[in-house]
Amino acid sequence: MLERWSAGDAARLIGIALNPKASPLQNRDYADLLQLMSDEPEFRQLVDEVALGLGLRVYYADDYGCVLGVVDKSSRFALKLGDLREHFTTEDTAALMILMTVVIVAFFPSIEALEDDDYRNNEFINMDGLVNILNQYLADAAKRSEGEDEGPEQMLAKGWRYLEKLPPRKPDMQRVNKGSREGLLHHVLNFFQEHAFVTMREEEEQLRVTPTKRLRIQARELLGNHLFTYLFEMREGLKEQGD
């Protein structure tokens, strides 16, 4: 435990927490700083102030780590679609938005669920479940395209068409191949795992995906994007049709 602390210690804690894979179980300095936050209210306040100065806020901090969010959506720390484009050199923005949303709504099927810290849905979901959600989206998009909607649907049309042309799976190819819906979802999951938004494990010959607290926090930041919000509301419409 640090007997004396300063603004430098608070800044160091923020710097460590900005690495989504940092773990106090493997970083003694991180563990000591988190303990200091818990024991010293004045240090916790200083950490909050340093974070705010950087355009960040501390959403929670405990023995397992510190999760940060952005104060507003213009922050340089906010998750942006451009971050994903580095991993997808041929797919367009609309398809990426759809695929990202599929992963998020698998765990938070409505905006209300996403904003409710106490909401718990699936502990995990497998790849079949994700592909099924994507297929439902595509089927509903095909019906909507028969109308004259010139709003978000028109902007997402290129993404729908691209994904609709792909087979759900290619059994004779590796799942990470981009030539199938499942393969593209796998690429998005790899990106999400890289940034500690989900964890993935193979169990009973199935890939099981589990969300982290960071996924909920970062997904909330995307609600400022009207296409993302539209896709969330569209999912709610699909559930009502199923009922």
mmCIF file of all heavy atoms in Angstrom, residues 182-229:
data_model
loop_
_atom_site.group_PDB
_atom_site.id
_atom_site.type_symbol
_atom_site.label_atom_id
_atom_site.label_comp_id
_atom_site.label_asym_id
_atom_site.label_seq_id
_atom_site.Cartn_x
_atom_site.Cartn_y
_atom_site.Cartn_z
ATOM 1 N N GLU A 182 -21.285 -16.083 -40.420
ATOM 2 C CA GLU A 182 -20.636 -16.557 -39.206
ATOM 3 C C GLU A 182 -19.183 -16.107 -39.158
ATOM 4 O O GLU A 182 -18.681 -15.686 -38.107
ATOM 5 C CB GLU A 182 -20.716 -18.074 -39.135
ATOM 6 C CG GLU A 182 -20.093 -18.649 -37.869
ATOM 7 C CD GLU A 182 -20.189 -20.167 -37.814
ATOM 8 O OE1 GLU A 182 -20.267 -20.804 -38.887
ATOM 9 O OE2 GLU A 182 -20.188 -20.708 -36.713
ATOM 10 N N GLY A 183 -18.502 -16.165 -40.282
ATOM 11 C CA GLY A 183 -17.101 -15.759 -40.326
ATOM 12 C C GLY A 183 -16.925 -14.289 -39.997
ATOM 13 O O GLY A 183 -16.012 -13.907 -39.253
ATOM 14 N N LEU A 184 -17.812 -13.428 -40.534
ATOM 15 C CA LEU A 184 -17.722 -11.998 -40.242
ATOM 16 C C LEU A 184 -18.020 -11.719 -38.774
ATOM 17 O O LEU A 184 -17.367 -10.877 -38.146
ATOM 18 C CB LEU A 184 -18.692 -11.219 -41.136
ATOM 19 C CG LEU A 184 -18.262 -11.045 -42.595
ATOM 20 C CD1 LEU A 184 -19.366 -10.363 -43.389
ATOM 21 C CD2 LEU A 184 -16.982 -10.234 -42.695
ATOM 22 N N LEU A 185 -19.000 -12.423 -38.222
ATOM 23 C CA LEU A 185 -19.298 -12.259 -36.799
ATOM 24 C C LEU A 185 -18.091 -12.664 -35.950
ATOM 25 O O LEU A 185 -17.794 -12.034 -34.928
ATOM 26 C CB LEU A 185 -20.515 -13.099 -36.409
ATOM 27 C CG LEU A 185 -21.882 -12.500 -36.753
ATOM 28 C CD1 LEU A 185 -22.980 -13.548 -36.594
ATOM 29 C CD2 LEU A 185 -22.183 -11.291 -35.872
ATOM 30 N N HIS A 186 -17.398 -13.688 -36.396
ATOM 31 C CA HIS A 186 -16.221 -14.145 -35.665
ATOM 32 C C HIS A 186 -15.149 -13.059 -35.657
ATOM 33 O O HIS A 186 -14.465 -12.846 -34.645
ATOM 34 C CB HIS A 186 -15.672 -15.428 -36.288
ATOM 35 C CG HIS A 186 -15.019 -16.345 -35.298
ATOM 36 N ND1 HIS A 186 -13.956 -15.968 -34.526
ATOM 37 C CD2 HIS A 186 -15.303 -17.628 -34.950
ATOM 38 C CE1 HIS A 186 -13.592 -16.980 -33.769
ATOM 39 N NE2 HIS A 186 -14.388 -17.987 -33.986
ATOM 40 N N HIS A 187 -15.005 -12.342 -36.764
ATOM 41 C CA HIS A 187 -14.024 -11.254 -36.818
ATOM 42 C C HIS A 187 -14.397 -10.135 -35.856
ATOM 43 O O HIS A 187 -13.534 -9.558 -35.176
ATOM 44 C CB HIS A 187 -13.914 -10.716 -38.243
ATOM 45 C CG HIS A 187 -12.955 -11.493 -39.093
ATOM 46 N ND1 HIS A 187 -11.595 -11.263 -39.087
ATOM 47 C CD2 HIS A 187 -13.156 -12.506 -39.964
ATOM 48 C CE1 HIS A 187 -11.005 -12.097 -39.928
ATOM 49 N NE2 HIS A 187 -11.931 -12.863 -40.481
ATOM 50 N N VAL A 188 -15.686 -9.799 -35.793
ATOM 51 C CA VAL A 188 -16.136 -8.773 -34.858
ATOM 52 C C VAL A 188 -15.876 -9.219 -33.416
ATOM 53 O O VAL A 188 -15.421 -8.443 -32.573
ATOM 54 C CB VAL A 188 -17.637 -8.456 -35.071
ATOM 55 C CG1 VAL A 188 -18.179 -7.584 -33.940
ATOM 56 C CG2 VAL A 188 -17.835 -7.735 -36.397
ATOM 57 N N LEU A 189 -16.147 -10.493 -33.129
ATOM 58 C CA LEU A 189 -15.898 -11.026 -31.785
ATOM 59 C C LEU A 189 -14.412 -10.966 -31.430
ATOM 60 O O LEU A 189 -14.051 -10.660 -30.287
ATOM 61 C CB LEU A 189 -16.398 -12.465 -31.686
ATOM 62 C CG LEU A 189 -17.911 -12.658 -31.673
ATOM 63 C CD1 LEU A 189 -18.252 -14.145 -31.726
ATOM 64 C CD2 LEU A 189 -18.537 -12.021 -30.446
ATOM 65 N N ASN A 190 -13.548 -11.253 -32.392
ATOM 66 C CA ASN A 190 -12.115 -11.163 -32.137
ATOM 67 C C ASN A 190 -11.716 -9.740 -31.764
ATOM 68 O O ASN A 190 -10.909 -9.510 -30.859
ATOM 69 C CB ASN A 190 -11.321 -11.627 -33.357
ATOM 70 C CG ASN A 190 -11.349 -13.133 -33.525
ATOM 71 O OD1 ASN A 190 -11.627 -13.871 -32.585
ATOM 72 N ND2 ASN A 190 -11.069 -13.603 -34.727
ATOM 73 N N PHE A 191 -12.309 -8.767 -32.467
ATOM 74 C CA PHE A 191 -12.045 -7.359 -32.159
ATOM 75 C C PHE A 191 -12.553 -7.029 -30.761
ATOM 76 O O PHE A 191 -11.871 -6.392 -29.959
ATOM 77 C CB PHE A 191 -12.723 -6.459 -33.193
ATOM 78 C CG PHE A 191 -12.662 -4.992 -32.856
ATOM 79 C CD1 PHE A 191 -11.536 -4.238 -33.166
ATOM 80 C CD2 PHE A 191 -13.723 -4.366 -32.213
ATOM 81 C CE1 PHE A 191 -11.477 -2.888 -32.850
ATOM 82 C CE2 PHE A 191 -13.675 -3.022 -31.896
ATOM 83 C CZ PHE A 191 -12.545 -2.279 -32.215
ATOM 84 N N PHE A 192 -13.769 -7.478 -30.440
ATOM 85 C CA PHE A 192 -14.345 -7.207 -29.130
ATOM 86 C C PHE A 192 -13.527 -7.864 -28.013
ATOM 87 O O PHE A 192 -13.357 -7.289 -26.940
ATOM 88 C CB PHE A 192 -15.787 -7.715 -29.074
ATOM 89 C CG PHE A 192 -16.795 -6.759 -29.651
ATOM 90 C CD1 PHE A 192 -16.407 -5.565 -30.236
ATOM 91 C CD2 PHE A 192 -18.142 -7.039 -29.597
ATOM 92 C CE1 PHE A 192 -17.324 -4.674 -30.757
ATOM 93 C CE2 PHE A 192 -19.091 -6.162 -30.112
ATOM 94 C CZ PHE A 192 -18.676 -4.966 -30.697
ATOM 95 N N GLN A 193 -13.034 -9.070 -28.272
ATOM 96 C CA GLN A 193 -12.208 -9.744 -27.271
ATOM 97 C C GLN A 193 -10.876 -9.021 -27.095
ATOM 98 O O GLN A 193 -10.381 -8.875 -25.965
ATOM 99 C CB GLN A 193 -11.966 -11.199 -27.663
ATOM 100 C CG GLN A 193 -11.113 -11.947 -26.648
ATOM 101 C CD GLN A 193 -11.025 -13.435 -26.926
ATOM 102 O OE1 GLN A 193 -11.491 -14.261 -26.158
ATOM 103 N NE2 GLN A 193 -10.413 -13.783 -28.040
ATOM 104 N N GLU A 194 -10.312 -8.541 -28.188
ATOM 105 C CA GLU A 194 -9.050 -7.811 -28.130
ATOM 106 C C GLU A 194 -9.163 -6.575 -27.240
ATOM 107 O O GLU A 194 -8.208 -6.184 -26.566
ATOM 108 C CB GLU A 194 -8.637 -7.407 -29.553
ATOM 109 C CG GLU A 194 -7.344 -6.613 -29.626
ATOM 110 C CD GLU A 194 -7.017 -6.198 -31.053
ATOM 111 O OE1 GLU A 194 -7.509 -6.848 -31.994
ATOM 112 O OE2 GLU A 194 -6.277 -5.222 -31.209
ATOM 113 N N HIS A 195 -10.363 -5.964 -27.232
ATOM 114 C CA HIS A 195 -10.583 -4.758 -26.429
ATOM 115 C C HIS A 195 -11.331 -5.063 -25.130
ATOM 116 O O HIS A 195 -11.862 -4.163 -24.484
ATOM 117 C CB HIS A 195 -11.343 -3.715 -27.254
ATOM 118 C CG HIS A 195 -10.512 -3.113 -28.344
ATOM 119 N ND1 HIS A 195 -10.244 -3.779 -29.523
ATOM 120 C CD2 HIS A 195 -9.867 -1.931 -28.433
ATOM 121 C CE1 HIS A 195 -9.485 -3.020 -30.296
ATOM 122 N NE2 HIS A 195 -9.234 -1.896 -29.657
ATOM 123 N N ALA A 196 -11.367 -6.345 -24.761
ATOM 124 C CA ALA A 196 -11.943 -6.792 -23.483
ATOM 125 C C ALA A 196 -13.423 -6.462 -23.344
ATOM 126 O O ALA A 196 -13.905 -6.202 -22.251
ATOM 127 C CB ALA A 196 -11.160 -6.199 -22.303
ATOM 128 N N PHE A 197 -14.181 -6.478 -24.468
ATOM 129 C CA PHE A 197 -15.625 -6.288 -24.410
ATOM 130 C C PHE A 197 -16.334 -7.620 -24.200
ATOM 131 O O PHE A 197 -17.444 -7.663 -23.683
ATOM 132 C CB PHE A 197 -16.147 -5.647 -25.703
ATOM 133 C CG PHE A 197 -15.567 -4.287 -25.978
ATOM 134 C CD1 PHE A 197 -15.285 -3.890 -27.282
ATOM 135 C CD2 PHE A 197 -15.316 -3.395 -24.951
ATOM 136 C CE1 PHE A 197 -14.755 -2.639 -27.534
ATOM 137 C CE2 PHE A 197 -14.790 -2.144 -25.202
ATOM 138 C CZ PHE A 197 -14.502 -1.767 -26.500
ATOM 139 N N VAL A 198 -15.714 -8.707 -24.625
ATOM 140 C CA VAL A 198 -16.259 -10.047 -24.427
ATOM 141 C C VAL A 198 -15.114 -11.000 -24.103
ATOM 142 O O VAL A 198 -13.944 -10.689 -24.339
ATOM 143 C CB VAL A 198 -17.015 -10.580 -25.680
ATOM 144 C CG1 VAL A 198 -18.152 -9.652 -26.080
ATOM 145 C CG2 VAL A 198 -16.044 -10.798 -26.848
ATOM 146 N N THR A 199 -15.482 -12.152 -23.549
ATOM 147 C CA THR A 199 -14.538 -13.252 -23.426
ATOM 148 C C THR A 199 -15.102 -14.420 -24.226
ATOM 149 O O THR A 199 -16.328 -14.569 -24.345
ATOM 150 C CB THR A 199 -14.339 -13.680 -21.963
ATOM 151 O OG1 THR A 199 -15.600 -14.087 -21.414
ATOM 152 C CG2 THR A 199 -13.780 -12.533 -21.142
ATOM 153 N N MET A 200 -14.234 -15.243 -24.777
ATOM 154 C CA MET A 200 -14.677 -16.373 -25.592
ATOM 155 C C MET A 200 -13.977 -17.641 -25.121
ATOM 156 O O MET A 200 -12.801 -17.618 -24.762
ATOM 157 C CB MET A 200 -14.381 -16.114 -27.070
ATOM 158 C CG MET A 200 -15.102 -14.911 -27.651
ATOM 159 S SD MET A 200 -14.996 -14.816 -29.473
ATOM 160 C CE MET A 200 -13.252 -14.443 -29.712
ATOM 161 N N ARG A 201 -14.732 -18.734 -25.139
ATOM 162 C CA ARG A 201 -14.139 -20.015 -24.785
ATOM 163 C C ARG A 201 -14.835 -21.126 -25.563
ATOM 164 O O ARG A 201 -16.013 -21.043 -25.867
ATOM 165 C CB ARG A 201 -14.252 -20.280 -23.282
ATOM 166 C CG ARG A 201 -15.667 -20.514 -22.776
ATOM 167 C CD ARG A 201 -15.706 -20.697 -21.263
ATOM 168 N NE ARG A 201 -17.020 -21.075 -20.789
ATOM 169 C CZ ARG A 201 -18.020 -20.236 -20.569
ATOM 170 N NH1 ARG A 201 -17.858 -18.939 -20.802
ATOM 171 N NH2 ARG A 201 -19.181 -20.668 -20.112
ATOM 172 N N GLU A 202 -14.073 -22.146 -25.879
ATOM 173 C CA GLU A 202 -14.626 -23.323 -26.537
ATOM 174 C C GLU A 202 -15.087 -24.300 -25.467
ATOM 175 O O GLU A 202 -14.334 -24.651 -24.561
ATOM 176 C CB GLU A 202 -13.567 -23.985 -27.418
ATOM 177 C CG GLU A 202 -13.192 -23.186 -28.653
ATOM 178 C CD GLU A 202 -14.242 -23.271 -29.751
ATOM 179 O OE1 GLU A 202 -15.150 -24.128 -29.638
ATOM 180 O OE2 GLU A 202 -14.158 -22.497 -30.721
ATOM 181 N N GLU A 203 -16.345 -24.706 -25.547
ATOM 182 C CA GLU A 203 -16.891 -25.640 -24.575
ATOM 183 C C GLU A 203 -17.936 -26.498 -25.259
ATOM 184 O O GLU A 203 -18.816 -25.985 -25.945
ATOM 185 C CB GLU A 203 -17.520 -24.869 -23.410
ATOM 186 C CG GLU A 203 -17.883 -25.738 -22.224
ATOM 187 C CD GLU A 203 -18.288 -24.912 -21.011
ATOM 188 O OE1 GLU A 203 -17.590 -23.919 -20.718
ATOM 189 O OE2 GLU A 203 -19.299 -25.263 -20.375
ATOM 190 N N GLU A 204 -17.835 -27.807 -25.068
ATOM 191 C CA GLU A 204 -18.760 -28.749 -25.692
ATOM 192 C C GLU A 204 -18.828 -28.532 -27.206
ATOM 193 O O GLU A 204 -19.899 -28.531 -27.805
ATOM 194 C CB GLU A 204 -20.151 -28.622 -25.060
ATOM 195 C CG GLU A 204 -20.177 -28.955 -23.577
ATOM 196 C CD GLU A 204 -21.550 -28.766 -22.963
ATOM 197 O OE1 GLU A 204 -22.470 -28.350 -23.699
ATOM 198 O OE2 GLU A 204 -21.711 -29.034 -21.766
ATOM 199 N N GLU A 205 -17.653 -28.313 -27.778
ATOM 200 C CA GLU A 205 -17.503 -28.119 -29.220
ATOM 201 C C GLU A 205 -18.271 -26.901 -29.737
ATOM 202 O O GLU A 205 -18.639 -26.829 -30.905
ATOM 203 C CB GLU A 205 -17.951 -29.375 -29.980
ATOM 204 C CG GLU A 205 -17.113 -30.608 -29.636
ATOM 205 C CD GLU A 205 -17.503 -31.818 -30.469
ATOM 206 O OE1 GLU A 205 -18.513 -31.724 -31.192
ATOM 207 O OE2 GLU A 205 -16.793 -32.839 -30.396
ATOM 208 N N GLN A 206 -18.504 -25.929 -28.866
ATOM 209 C CA GLN A 206 -19.155 -24.690 -29.267
ATOM 210 C C GLN A 206 -18.368 -23.509 -28.722
ATOM 211 O O GLN A 206 -17.772 -23.589 -27.640
ATOM 212 C CB GLN A 206 -20.588 -24.616 -28.722
ATOM 213 C CG GLN A 206 -21.573 -25.524 -29.427
ATOM 214 C CD GLN A 206 -22.998 -25.239 -28.970
ATOM 215 O OE1 GLN A 206 -23.226 -24.688 -27.899
ATOM 216 N NE2 GLN A 206 -23.960 -25.614 -29.789
ATOM 217 N N LEU A 207 -18.384 -22.412 -29.488
ATOM 218 C CA LEU A 207 -17.786 -21.174 -29.026
ATOM 219 C C LEU A 207 -18.810 -20.442 -28.169
ATOM 220 O O LEU A 207 -19.911 -20.135 -28.627
ATOM 221 C CB LEU A 207 -17.381 -20.295 -30.213
ATOM 222 C CG LEU A 207 -16.784 -18.937 -29.837
ATOM 223 C CD1 LEU A 207 -15.437 -19.118 -29.142
ATOM 224 C CD2 LEU A 207 -16.620 -18.064 -31.080
ATOM 225 N N ARG A 208 -18.462 -20.183 -26.918
ATOM 226 C CA ARG A 208 -19.366 -19.488 -26.012
ATOM 227 C C ARG A 208 -18.822 -18.088 -25.743
ATOM 228 O O ARG A 208 -17.662 -17.933 -25.348
ATOM 229 C CB ARG A 208 -19.541 -20.259 -24.712
ATOM 230 C CG ARG A 208 -20.240 -21.608 -24.938
ATOM 231 C CD ARG A 208 -20.604 -22.287 -23.634
ATOM 232 N NE ARG A 208 -21.398 -23.479 -23.889
ATOM 233 C CZ ARG A 208 -21.954 -24.216 -22.934
ATOM 234 N NH1 ARG A 208 -21.795 -23.881 -21.664
ATOM 235 N NH2 ARG A 208 -22.669 -25.283 -23.237
ATOM 236 N N VAL A 209 -19.670 -17.098 -25.931
ATOM 237 C CA VAL A 209 -19.270 -15.693 -25.810
ATOM 238 C C VAL A 209 -19.940 -15.092 -24.580
ATOM 239 O O VAL A 209 -21.155 -15.206 -24.409
ATOM 240 C CB VAL A 209 -19.677 -14.890 -27.061
ATOM 241 C CG1 VAL A 209 -19.138 -13.467 -26.982
ATOM 242 C CG2 VAL A 209 -19.190 -15.587 -28.330
ATOM 243 N N THR A 210 -19.169 -14.460 -23.718
ATOM 244 C CA THR A 210 -19.673 -13.842 -22.499
ATOM 245 C C THR A 210 -19.343 -12.357 -22.512
ATOM 246 O O THR A 210 -18.211 -11.978 -22.821
ATOM 247 C CB THR A 210 -19.045 -14.496 -21.252
ATOM 248 O OG1 THR A 210 -19.300 -15.906 -21.278
ATOM 249 C CG2 THR A 210 -19.604 -13.902 -19.974
ATOM 250 N N PRO A 211 -20.299 -11.473 -22.179
ATOM 251 C CA PRO A 211 -20.029 -10.032 -22.176
ATOM 252 C C PRO A 211 -19.279 -9.614 -20.916
ATOM 253 O O PRO A 211 -19.373 -10.267 -19.874
ATOM 254 C CB PRO A 211 -21.430 -9.420 -22.197
ATOM 255 C CG PRO A 211 -22.265 -10.408 -21.429
ATOM 256 C CD PRO A 211 -21.704 -11.768 -21.797
ATOM 257 N N THR A 212 -18.547 -8.535 -21.003
ATOM 258 C CA THR A 212 -17.917 -7.926 -19.834
ATOM 259 C C THR A 212 -18.654 -6.629 -19.499
ATOM 260 O O THR A 212 -19.467 -6.136 -20.287
ATOM 261 C CB THR A 212 -16.442 -7.594 -20.110
ATOM 262 O OG1 THR A 212 -16.370 -6.561 -21.108
ATOM 263 C CG2 THR A 212 -15.686 -8.823 -20.612
ATOM 264 N N LYS A 213 -18.376 -6.087 -18.335
ATOM 265 C CA LYS A 213 -18.977 -4.796 -17.966
ATOM 266 C C LYS A 213 -18.580 -3.712 -18.969
ATOM 267 O O LYS A 213 -19.332 -2.787 -19.244
ATOM 268 C CB LYS A 213 -18.529 -4.388 -16.560
ATOM 269 C CG LYS A 213 -19.079 -5.275 -15.460
ATOM 270 C CD LYS A 213 -18.640 -4.796 -14.084
ATOM 271 C CE LYS A 213 -19.198 -5.692 -12.992
ATOM 272 N NZ LYS A 213 -18.755 -5.247 -11.632
ATOM 273 N N ARG A 214 -17.395 -3.848 -19.512
ATOM 274 C CA ARG A 214 -16.913 -2.855 -20.473
ATOM 275 C C ARG A 214 -17.789 -2.811 -21.722
ATOM 276 O O ARG A 214 -17.965 -1.753 -22.327
ATOM 277 C CB ARG A 214 -15.468 -3.191 -20.855
ATOM 278 C CG ARG A 214 -14.742 -2.105 -21.617
ATOM 279 C CD ARG A 214 -13.306 -2.529 -21.895
ATOM 280 N NE ARG A 214 -12.561 -2.736 -20.679
ATOM 281 C CZ ARG A 214 -11.897 -1.773 -20.046
ATOM 282 N NH1 ARG A 214 -11.901 -0.553 -20.523
ATOM 283 N NH2 ARG A 214 -11.235 -2.035 -18.939
ATOM 284 N N LEU A 215 -18.367 -3.941 -22.122
ATOM 285 C CA LEU A 215 -19.221 -3.959 -23.311
ATOM 286 C C LEU A 215 -20.437 -3.061 -23.110
ATOM 287 O O LEU A 215 -20.790 -2.274 -23.988
ATOM 288 C CB LEU A 215 -19.675 -5.383 -23.635
ATOM 289 C CG LEU A 215 -20.631 -5.501 -24.829
ATOM 290 C CD1 LEU A 215 -19.910 -5.136 -26.128
ATOM 291 C CD2 LEU A 215 -21.219 -6.896 -24.940
ATOM 292 N N ARG A 216 -21.100 -3.182 -21.965
ATOM 293 C CA ARG A 216 -22.274 -2.366 -21.692
ATOM 294 C C ARG A 216 -21.911 -0.869 -21.714
ATOM 295 O O ARG A 216 -22.599 -0.055 -22.324
ATOM 296 C CB ARG A 216 -22.863 -2.721 -20.326
ATOM 297 C CG ARG A 216 -24.161 -1.972 -20.010
ATOM 298 C CD ARG A 216 -24.456 -1.996 -18.519
ATOM 299 N NE ARG A 216 -24.607 -3.330 -17.984
ATOM 300 C CZ ARG A 216 -25.771 -3.964 -17.895
ATOM 301 N NH1 ARG A 216 -26.868 -3.393 -18.338
ATOM 302 N NH2 ARG A 216 -25.823 -5.170 -17.369
ATOM 303 N N ILE A 217 -20.802 -0.536 -21.061
ATOM 304 C CA ILE A 217 -20.396 0.864 -20.970
ATOM 305 C C ILE A 217 -20.089 1.441 -22.338
ATOM 306 O O ILE A 217 -20.554 2.522 -22.708
ATOM 307 C CB ILE A 217 -19.183 0.992 -20.035
ATOM 308 C CG1 ILE A 217 -19.610 0.704 -18.594
ATOM 309 C CG2 ILE A 217 -18.557 2.376 -20.132
ATOM 310 C CD1 ILE A 217 -18.458 0.521 -17.632
ATOM 311 N N GLN A 218 -19.312 0.711 -23.128
ATOM 312 C CA GLN A 218 -18.933 1.232 -24.441
ATOM 313 C C GLN A 218 -20.116 1.236 -25.404
ATOM 314 O O GLN A 218 -20.230 2.121 -26.254
ATOM 315 C CB GLN A 218 -17.774 0.410 -25.020
ATOM 316 C CG GLN A 218 -16.477 0.512 -24.230
ATOM 317 C CD GLN A 218 -15.872 1.909 -24.266
ATOM 318 O OE1 GLN A 218 -16.203 2.716 -25.108
ATOM 319 N NE2 GLN A 218 -14.971 2.182 -23.339
ATOM 320 N N ALA A 219 -21.014 0.264 -25.275
ATOM 321 C CA ALA A 219 -22.190 0.234 -26.145
ATOM 322 C C ALA A 219 -23.070 1.452 -25.897
ATOM 323 O O ALA A 219 -23.674 2.010 -26.824
ATOM 324 C CB ALA A 219 -22.975 -1.051 -25.930
ATOM 325 N N ARG A 220 -23.166 1.873 -24.644
ATOM 326 C CA ARG A 220 -23.952 3.069 -24.338
ATOM 327 C C ARG A 220 -23.425 4.283 -25.093
ATOM 328 O O ARG A 220 -24.190 5.156 -25.497
ATOM 329 C CB ARG A 220 -23.898 3.354 -22.836
ATOM 330 C CG ARG A 220 -24.753 2.429 -21.988
ATOM 331 C CD ARG A 220 -24.472 2.668 -20.529
ATOM 332 N NE ARG A 220 -25.299 1.844 -19.672
ATOM 333 C CZ ARG A 220 -25.061 1.653 -18.379
ATOM 334 N NH1 ARG A 220 -24.009 2.234 -17.817
ATOM 335 N NH2 ARG A 220 -25.875 0.905 -17.656
ATOM 336 N N GLU A 221 -22.112 4.336 -25.269
ATOM 337 C CA GLU A 221 -21.531 5.477 -25.971
ATOM 338 C C GLU A 221 -21.970 5.513 -27.440
ATOM 339 O O GLU A 221 -22.013 6.564 -28.061
ATOM 340 C CB GLU A 221 -19.999 5.427 -25.897
ATOM 341 C CG GLU A 221 -19.435 5.331 -24.489
ATOM 342 C CD GLU A 221 -19.852 6.483 -23.604
ATOM 343 O OE1 GLU A 221 -20.059 7.588 -24.136
ATOM 344 O OE2 GLU A 221 -19.995 6.276 -22.391
ATOM 345 N N LEU A 222 -22.318 4.345 -27.977
ATOM 346 C CA LEU A 222 -22.738 4.286 -29.381
ATOM 347 C C LEU A 222 -24.175 4.752 -29.588
ATOM 348 O O LEU A 222 -24.612 4.943 -30.729
ATOM 349 C CB LEU A 222 -22.598 2.851 -29.906
ATOM 350 C CG LEU A 222 -21.167 2.332 -30.112
ATOM 351 C CD1 LEU A 222 -21.190 0.857 -30.460
ATOM 352 C CD2 LEU A 222 -20.458 3.123 -31.205
ATOM 353 N N LEU A 223 -24.922 4.944 -28.488
ATOM 354 C CA LEU A 223 -26.318 5.343 -28.636
ATOM 355 C C LEU A 223 -26.467 6.733 -29.238
ATOM 356 O O LEU A 223 -27.556 7.122 -29.645
ATOM 357 C CB LEU A 223 -27.036 5.267 -27.277
ATOM 358 C CG LEU A 223 -27.312 3.844 -26.764
ATOM 359 C CD1 LEU A 223 -27.885 3.896 -25.358
ATOM 360 C CD2 LEU A 223 -28.256 3.100 -27.692
ATOM 361 N N GLY A 224 -25.377 7.485 -29.300
ATOM 362 C CA GLY A 224 -25.437 8.783 -29.970
ATOM 363 C C GLY A 224 -25.486 8.647 -31.481
ATOM 364 O O GLY A 224 -25.774 9.619 -32.181
ATOM 365 N N ASN A 225 -25.209 7.454 -31.992
ATOM 366 C CA ASN A 225 -25.279 7.205 -33.425
ATOM 367 C C ASN A 225 -26.693 6.760 -33.779
ATOM 368 O O ASN A 225 -27.179 5.748 -33.279
ATOM 369 C CB ASN A 225 -24.255 6.121 -33.802
ATOM 370 C CG ASN A 225 -24.183 5.876 -35.291
ATOM 371 O OD1 ASN A 225 -25.167 5.498 -35.904
ATOM 372 N ND2 ASN A 225 -23.014 6.086 -35.868
ATOM 373 N N HIS A 226 -27.386 7.516 -34.641
ATOM 374 C CA HIS A 226 -28.801 7.237 -34.906
ATOM 375 C C HIS A 226 -29.002 5.904 -35.623
ATOM 376 O O HIS A 226 -30.040 5.263 -35.467
ATOM 377 C CB HIS A 226 -29.444 8.373 -35.705
ATOM 378 C CG HIS A 226 -28.931 8.526 -37.103
ATOM 379 N ND1 HIS A 226 -27.687 9.041 -37.375
ATOM 380 C CD2 HIS A 226 -29.505 8.233 -38.301
ATOM 381 C CE1 HIS A 226 -27.510 9.069 -38.691
ATOM 382 N NE2 HIS A 226 -28.576 8.580 -39.274
ATOM 383 N N LEU A 227 -28.008 5.439 -36.375
ATOM 384 C CA LEU A 227 -28.139 4.135 -37.020
ATOM 385 C C LEU A 227 -28.090 3.021 -35.981
ATOM 386 O O LEU A 227 -28.850 2.043 -36.063
ATOM 387 C CB LEU A 227 -27.021 3.922 -38.046
ATOM 388 C CG LEU A 227 -27.009 4.859 -39.258
ATOM 389 C CD1 LEU A 227 -25.852 4.483 -40.176
ATOM 390 C CD2 LEU A 227 -28.322 4.805 -40.011
ATOM 391 N N PHE A 228 -27.225 3.170 -35.000
ATOM 392 C CA PHE A 228 -27.123 2.178 -33.932
ATOM 393 C C PHE A 228 -28.424 2.123 -33.131
ATOM 394 O O PHE A 228 -28.949 1.042 -32.835
ATOM 395 C CB PHE A 228 -25.943 2.538 -33.029
ATOM 396 C CG PHE A 228 -25.661 1.526 -31.951
ATOM 397 C CD1 PHE A 228 -25.078 0.316 -32.253
ATOM 398 C CD2 PHE A 228 -25.963 1.811 -30.630
ATOM 399 C CE1 PHE A 228 -24.808 -0.616 -31.257
ATOM 400 C CE2 PHE A 228 -25.696 0.885 -29.629
ATOM 401 C CZ PHE A 228 -25.118 -0.320 -29.942
ATOM 402 N N THR A 229 -28.965 3.298 -32.793
ATOM 403 C CA THR A 229 -30.229 3.350 -32.057
ATOM 404 C C THR A 229 -31.360 2.739 -32.875
ATOM 405 O O THR A 229 -32.211 2.008 -32.350
ATOM 406 C CB THR A 229 -30.574 4.806 -31.694
ATOM 407 O OG1 THR A 229 -29.489 5.370 -30.940
ATOM 408 C CG2 THR A 229 -31.852 4.885 -30.870
#
